[in-house]
Amino acid sequence: MRLPPETRRQIAALWEQEAEWLVRYAVVRTGEDQPAAEDLVQMAFLAAAVQWNSLIDRTDDERRNWLRSVVHHKWVDGIRRSRRLERLDTEEREKYASRGPDLVDVVLARADLERCWEVIRSLPQRRRQIAVLFFIEQYSVARIAYLLDLQPSGVRKHVSLARTALRKAVKPVGTQEAEVLPSREQEEEQA
């Protein structure tokens, strides 16, 4: 979630003003569980960031009450969630238990990620800029077009070509090996 700089400053000021008190409140709620209390406060401030337009015109006391209410509701939600999990029988609980990722999957994912970065680095400069803004920064086509002073259709074309290059380089497990990409010089010669 991207917040405007002014909103970030306002939420940071609210954090400075209310976080310490709110953590103490949450510690009491959680039965002296400091990490859980800090998580609740973090969730409350995240909710405040999302709802900032409705909080900006409230008084300090109203914001404090709103934050306290969010911490309380998040705490109650956590209790309800844990009770539901306790009611599940052992077999069902195993389905939801976090087993962590399989080591082979992690290694393959890291290799794929590195290959994706290689592909992105090998793209021509403009396409690389657009790929980073679209795939990494998750900017919209319209925003990229505005930032780079391009037509949206041109941005979509670059995204499509970058996506094609990424698909060629990284294939799903069980398919043929990924194709070797041409060097940047070879691709520029083709263009």
Side-chain angles (χ1 to χ4, degrees), residues 6-189:
E6 181 60 26
T7 301
R8 281 186 277 175
R9 282 191 290 278
Q10 292 169 335
I11 292 173
L14 181 64
W15 174 270
E16 291 297 321
Q17 182 180 344
E18 303 294 343
E20 187 178 332
W21 168 86
L22 201 56
V23 168
R24 287 196 306 266
Y25 170 78
V27 164
V28 171
R29 281 281 176 219
T30 60
E32 305 296 321
D33 186 350
Q34 182 78 23
E38 291 170 357
D39 287 346
L40 288 171
V41 171
Q42 184 176 356
M43 286 187 277
F45 275 90
L46 179 60
V50 170
Q51 296 291 323
W52 189 248
N53 288 338
S54 68
L55 293 173
I56 195 166
D57 294 327
R58 295 187 184 193
T59 66
D60 288 346
D61 285 339
E62 289 172 331
R63 288 183 191 158
R64 183 177 298 119
N65 289 336
W66 187 89
L67 287 166
R68 187 180 63 220
S69 175
V70 170
V71 165
H72 174 77
H73 287 102
K74 296 288 184 184
W75 173 66
V76 169
D77 288 346
I79 291 171
R80 288 179 180 150
R81 192 175 307 112
S82 67
R83 285 184 182 159
R84 281 193 303 265
L85 287 175
E86 286 173 6
R87 281 183 266 178
L88 295 173
D89 64 4
T90 307
E91 184 178 310
E92 286 295 311
R93 213 178 293 166
E94 287 176 7
K95 284 183 187 177
Y96 297 104
S98 176
R99 293 182 185 91
D102 182 29
L103 184 58
V104 173
D105 291 339
V106 170
V107 170
L108 291 174
R110 284 186 181 166
D112 285 346
L113 181 60
E114 184 54 39
R115 186 66 181 132
C116 287
W117 276 112
E118 288 174 19
V119 169
I120 289 173
R121 284 190 295 266
S122 73
L123 295 173
Q125 182 180 2
R126 178 61 72 168
R127 192 166 303 143
R128 182 174 59 248
Q129 286 176 321
I130 292 171
V132 168
L133 291 172
F134 187 81
F135 295 114
I136 309 301
E137 297 296 327
Q138 297 185 348
Y139 283 14
S140 68
V141 168
R143 186 167 183 195
I144 295 169
Y146 174 77
L147 289 172
L148 300 179
D149 196 29
L150 297 170
Q151 292 295 318
S153 61
V155 172
R156 284 190 295 272
K157 180 67 174 175
H158 282 289
V159 167
S160 175
L161 292 169
R163 184 178 286 130
T164 299
L166 287 165
R167 283 184 179 145
K168 285 181 181 178
V170 181
K171 301 246 181 180
V173 176
T175 62
Q176 296 177 351
E177 280 295 312
E179 296 177 20
V180 176
L181 290 178
S183 68
R184 181 182 288 164
E185 294 81 23
Q186 291 171 337
E187 188 166 306
E188 288 174 358
E189 287 174 12

